Amino acid sequence: MKKTIAILLALLMVLGLAVACSKKTTEAPKTEEAPKAEEAPKAEEKPTEEPAPATEEPMEPAKEYTMNDYSSSLGNNWNPHTWETNADDTILGYLSMPFVTMQAENTEDGIYQWIYEMATEINDVTATHKEDLEKYPVKLPEGKTAADIESGYVFEIKLNPKACWQDGTPINADSYIYSMKQLLDPAMKNYRANLYYSGESAIAGGNGYYNSDLAGQPIYGDAAGLEGVEEYFLDLTLPSVFFSPNSAKDYYEAGYADYYKDAEGNDLFAKLTETAGYVPVTDEIIADLTTIAVNFGDSNPEAWKEFCFAVTGTYEALPFEKVGLYKTDDYTIYYVMENPIDYYYGLTSFTSTWLVYEPLYEAGKDTTGSLVTTNYGTAPENTMSYGVYKLESLQEDKQIVFTQNENWYGWEKQPNGALLSYTPYLVDGEHVQRYQTTKIVINVMDDDAAKQAFLKGELVSWAPSSEELTTYGASDRLYKADETYTMSFFFNTGLEALQEMDNSKGNVNSVVMSNVNFRKAFSLAIDRAEWVTATAGYKPSFGLMNDQYYYDFYNNPESSYRSSDEAMQAVCDLYEVKYGEGTPYATLKDAYKSINGYNLTEAKELMAQACKELVEAGLYKEGEEIKIRVGYKKGALDSADNKQMELMNKYINAAVEGSGFGKVTLEALGNINDRYGDVAKGEYAIGYGAWGGAALYPFRNFRVYCDPDYVDIHEAGCWDPATETLTLTVNGEEVTKTWQAWSNSMTGTGEYAAEDNKLKLQITSQMETEYLKKYYRIPLATSTTCTMLSFKLDYYTPDYNLAYGWGGLELMKYNYDDAEWDAFVASQNGALNYE
């Protein structure tokens, strides 16, 4: 999520599926035989009067089609169990294949189809395998037994018998079972295991096996709010209710060390962490915790409990045999979901796999540390492909090269040595060549160097900046695609944190961010229509989710969340735009479309009100300068970033004019390793970033804002969604829950998970309105990828579709082979014109 597209190919987030589709797939996808190369029509033979002497014509050599591309950095770990970055995932994508994927069927109408790759069939067989619901630790809906369940849990996966590793070793059921056992191995604690032991498609028993190393140890939970606790425990290094979702250690290290001192100046944090781990709480510890709480402004005599933990259970050992993955023959495996899932969402979860090559995985293991590790997937010599391409070479921080994996199941080897493949399915009524690319070369270079290389014919693509779009915006080689990401400002509004930022973090009067009217005025002062012109492809945004989110895609491909009445009403309610008789807008849609997020008049009024409130509270002196440092970017700031901030300063100063506030300076800072975490910790009052992905799951979207147990929320410096409550109207009745509970109520076995989409839209849209009214986050824009494509090749279709993109690398078509391209570039004197 917050790592932009780093999770793009991760489980359940791999496809942002949002397309126009004229039919619903009702059965498992089928494939057709692709044409054989030898079936190509033969040249017409010319008659001769006498037989010609037998001669052997020279065979035309295989053509080379190299895709030269670039990246700002290269991955260094493409192990599917531990990869972390987008660059890692890019490499993994070339070396692997999913069970099933989606591809174009009819590009004119935007119709997609499911295509089997590493599987030949995937079926929901829950109805005939109900015994698996008792054998494996699944979670059934409240009040249901295994006998009541007919679908959503047990998936039969028929494996592709032609699949093998690049060295020719067959891939079978044992390959997948071994790989899953390693992924969830409690001795390894693999980073990507969480994709399989938690979430919508978690495997039954995955969590239990993953934590088997803790068997017999107590399970600790937050002690605050628990009744009947006999013994409290303390560990200041762990997230606690008092600092949720951070820990006392986070605040101590973030510059709040003085808050941990007693009246004599003793360092209580150092004292309370002399002993590692969970420490039983004594009366002396209670007194020290009370002192710390008071220093942070909480005089509640029970506040010490918010630092503490209590034993809520005991971990049990769960053998791998209780994990819901088993085989019935060498090419059939069964995957048992922990929670019920719709068939098509199940297929979506199988668009990635967990497969690793056992000999190299085992050979790379290191058991000398506290955890077992492996170097699998970190260099060419410890990497084994089962995808279309294999890793040929890697020069760290310079270049990576992929060539064709001759043992990929889809190739037909030609007499001249060429590897040829046709789609085993119809695209626009015919079988077409796929994976025409014979070699992939990715060089590390910055955007300026990439531009020059592209214009000289040395790269197949280049991403222009917003300034360069004025030159290339009309080019027929420019491809644009909307993404799910909503770029936003997010805040730390905690008064104590803001005061400390003013004292020691370089801010001046950033305490103004604690006032909701100031934040609302800031939002209304932003001319988003102008602001987006500073960045390539950005579009104004007024809500948390854009029109790339679909709530019932497989049954209704037009089911955009943003276009639903409920979601449009959410934004109208936020901006207080009415419709109907006596208003300028006849319909809800008219009112929604009128919103541009900009109202300088109201912004000025709110700024004056905010100034008055802050002055009366003794937090601000009228007319004083305001300076706020903004955690803007992980990398170095570029011209687009500077332009964005220049405009922001213009907007906010226009709003504060005449309000009583002095001049405001927003200072963007780059090269920040973790700006999301740093905002929560109190390093910055404002951060700039995005949430996105999981386009088919709008009803679980609020977990990223409200469930600190699920993810490190960006807005952690503002509130505690685990304890703050919200009252919503559900089917005409008022219902109150914590924000965290609401965010989980529509997923898994949540209270409303099995309800219809109308009710879920009702809940989600109300949450969106109420959350945005807090102004902990100000939506600014949605992102769009803008890419210039070389004359050397074309995407299959110029019409982007979120199910299959432009056809991807699979259907990419070349206009020139390497030799022809070199000749063409030479004929242009090495300077190509794409304007």
Side-chain angles (χ1 to χ4, degrees), residues 78 95 166 379-380 383 385 389-394 400-402:
W78 43 94
L95 304 176
Q166 72 181 61
T383 297
S385 170
Y389 301 96
K390 62 184 179 182
L391 179 54
E392 183 74 12
S393 64
L394 172 65
I400 190 167
V401 178
F402 302 90

Side-chain angles (χ1 to χ4, degrees), residues 575-812:
Y575 287 97
E576 300 176 343
V577 178
K578 307 295 183 182
Y579 62 94
E581 187 175 349
T583 73
Y585 310 110
T587 67
L588 170 60
K589 191 172 185 179
D590 292 335
Y592 173 71
K593 286 187 171 182
S594 75
I595 294 171
N596 62 15
Y598 181 58
N599 189 331
L600 184 57
T601 300
E602 185 179 357
K604 284 178 170 289
E605 293 172 354
L606 287 168
M607 281 296 186
Q609 184 177 343
C611 184
K612 183 174 182 294
E613 292 168 349
L614 288 162
V615 170
E616 289 178 351
L619 296 173
Y620 176 74
K621 185 176 180 181
E622 189 169 339
E624 287 188 342
E625 174 191 8
I626 298 168
K627 179 182 177 181
I628 304 176
R629 299 158 71 249
V630 182
Y632 216 74
K633 194 174 183 180
K634 185 170 185 176
L637 299 180
D638 56 29
S639 59
D641 302 320
N642 294 328
K643 179 63 175 177
Q644 289 172 355
M645 192 51 66
E646 179 184 331
L647 290 171
M648 282 296 172
N649 275 293
K650 181 180 79 170
Y651 301 146
I652 196 167
N653 279 290
V656 302
E657 185 179 0
S659 67
F661 286 120
K663 179 184 176 182
V664 180
T665 300
L666 303 176
E667 179 188 5
L669 298 173
N671 295 315
I672 301 171
N673 185 55
D674 181 17
R675 61 193 185 281
Y676 304 103
D678 285 349
V679 170
K681 293 176 184 177
E683 292 294 321
Y684 304 98
I686 304 175
Y688 175 62
W691 287 113
L696 300 185
Y697 301 90
F699 300 135
R700 73 114 182 254
N701 185 269
F702 269 94
R703 293 188 71 187
V704 302
Y705 302 97
C706 302
D707 187 1
D709 295 332
Y710 172 68
V711 69
D712 292 335
I713 61 174
H714 298 182
E715 303 74 19
C718 301
W719 66 324
D720 182 7
T723 57
E724 186 173 325
T725 60
L726 171 69
T727 299
L728 301 180
T729 302
V730 182
N731 284 336
E733 296 184 2
E734 290 190 347
V735 180
T736 301
K737 298 179 183 290
T738 66
W739 282 85
Q740 184 180 34
W742 278 118
S743 74
N744 293 319
S745 67
M746 295 172 284
T747 64
T749 56
E751 181 179 355
Y752 303 110
E755 297 292 339
D756 61 27
N757 289 323
K758 196 69 176 174
L759 186 139
K760 293 178 186 176
L761 284 169
Q762 186 183 126
I763 295 172
T764 303
S765 61
Q766 289 180 82
M767 290 185 71
E768 185 174 26
T769 301
E770 295 306 313
Y771 177 76
L772 287 172
K773 283 182 177 179
K774 291 177 174 293
Y775 293 94
Y776 293 158
R777 168 173 290 265
I778 296 177
L780 299 171
T782 60
S783 58
T784 301
T785 59
C786 296
T787 305
M788 292 290 293
L789 197 64
S790 165
F791 294 126
K792 184 178 183 179
L793 72 178
D794 287 313
Y795 288 126
Y796 179 81
T797 174
D799 300 317
Y800 185 82
N801 187 299
L802 278 176
Y804 49 81
W806 292 290
L809 178 64
E810 180 178 6
L811 301 186
M812 190 175 280

